[in-house]
Amino acid sequence: MTDIATPQGTDMPDDSFAPTPVAPPRRSGAGGWARWIGRRILFAVLTLWACSIIVFLATAALGDPVRAILGKDFGTSPERVAALREQLNLDEPVISRYFTWLGNLVTGDPGTSIANQQPVWDLIGSRIANSAVLVLISAIVMVPLAIGIAMLSAHYRGRRPDSVIQVILLTLAGLPEFVIGILFVAVFSTTVLHVLPAVTIAGGGRPPWTNPASMILPVLTLVLAVSPYVSRIVRANLLEVLDSDYVELARLKGVPESVVMRKHALLNAIVPGIQVIALQFAWLAGGIVIVEYLFSYPGVGASLVDSVRNSDFPMVQALAMTLAAVYVGVNLIADILSILFTPRARTAISS
């Protein structure tokens, strides 16, 4: 075989001197998760900061708080007017007052109640615990009940049981929570049955759950006010998943329909439902205001109504920020759970 001569003056590239391609550095899964969670926490903090501005400006825009507190005694007691102005820092500019209040709030000192002359946290600490127990019990009942109704409705899709369930859910969704509560009181606490107390009974400073019977109606009211929305969203997601190819393949393999519903359809349909459940949890944090006041439940809602009535601005601000913190926290947890239950989202964050 003859060698092919290289033309003179032409340099052939030598692969031995070519630079070796370097693969781009891969981010570790833990690092991706840390960055994503850090961003979400930062957004949550910024949201709470925006809420603090709105709450402070809203209470400041209501007018002179001293005049609202004293009422007719505003012009007759200048000493008390001066004391209240000093207590509320009204002699300072609005921006200075805001940052003073925000700094105290961040450090755990939301101020002193004007109506009771006691630290706000001492007054609302037990109320927050009572409301948390009410929301937790309602959620424990609501989530499996709503998912179970959605599964039953999806199983009988297009048949009479499904139609009856949808009519009932739409009817309950159209009723405000105070209407549901009043109906429960009329049925179970008056001459109709009279088997449950109409108001929460908790004497001697004891928590309300020491008398479980008095908590049944508030819990049922919250459950029936929230469950229809969760059931309808989960049912819609279940119907979409049940029509997918991999569910049809599972049926062709002979997998029982109950197993298909639980292991194949529900696990894939619950991810969009997590956001809806989170929104309903957040609604529970704010919706308890009416329900607690209706049943005289000693929680955040009743305390907020009393504070507004008494023009107790430090209490109103602290309670409003507590509800905002619960709302933001629940949505943050829902985002994390949605990522954990979605493999593609987990891969995108980790890569």
Side-chain angles (χ1 to χ4, degrees), residues 60-276:
L62 295 177
D64 188 357
V66 177
R67 184 182 295 274
I69 294 167
L70 296 181
K72 296 180 180 180
D73 297 333
F74 179 77
T76 60
S77 55
E79 295 82 4
R80 191 177 179 189
V81 170
L84 282 176
R85 288 190 180 279
E86 182 179 359
Q87 178 182 344
L88 298 175
N89 300 321
L90 294 179
D91 297 332
E92 301 178 4
V94 176
I95 296 179
S96 177
R97 280 189 290 151
Y98 166 73
F99 282 106
T100 301
W101 169 75
L102 182 62
N104 293 333
L105 185 67
V106 172
T107 56
D109 181 18
T112 302
S113 171
I114 297 173
N116 299 303
Q117 294 300 313
Q118 296 181 20
V120 170
W121 185 251
D122 293 344
L123 295 174
I124 68 174
S126 59
R127 297 298 185 100
I128 293 176
N130 293 343
S131 295
V133 171
L134 178 61
V135 170
L136 181 61
I137 295 175
S138 302
I140 291 175
V141 176
M142 180 268 294
V143 172
L145 175 64
I147 294 177
I149 293 174
M151 294 174 63
L152 182 64
S153 180
H155 178 73
Y156 291 102
R157 172 176 46 178
R159 288 180 278 178
R160 186 177 297 274
D162 182 27
S163 301
V164 173
I165 292 174
Q166 293 308 306
V167 170
I168 295 175
L169 292 179
L170 284 174
T171 303
L172 292 176
L175 293 176
E177 61 272 12
F178 68 88
V179 174
I180 296 175
I182 292 173
L183 290 176
F184 276 141
V185 171
V187 173
F188 296 105
S189 302
T190 58
T191 54
V192 178
L193 291 177
H194 200 66
V195 294
L196 295 173
V199 296
T200 303
I201 303 173
R206 294 177 300 171
W209 55 85
T210 56
N211 186 10
S214 63
M215 295 190 65
I216 293 178
L217 291 185
V219 169
L220 287 178
T221 301
L222 291 175
V223 168
L224 290 186
V226 172
S227 297
Y229 302 98
V230 178
S231 293
R232 288 178 58 82
I233 294 298
V234 175
R235 173 186 177 274
N237 295 327
L238 277 173
L239 295 180
E240 183 179 354
V241 174
L242 288 173
D243 292 335
S244 61
D245 294 337
Y246 65 89
V247 171
E248 290 295 333
L249 180 60
R251 291 193 180 104
L252 293 175
K253 290 182 177 180
V255 179
E257 189 65 23
S258 59
V259 178
V260 170
M261 179 70 73
R262 291 196 315 269
K263 293 187 177 181
H264 297 277
L266 182 60
L267 291 179
N268 290 279
I270 199 63
V271 175
I274 290 176
Q275 294 291 338
V276 178

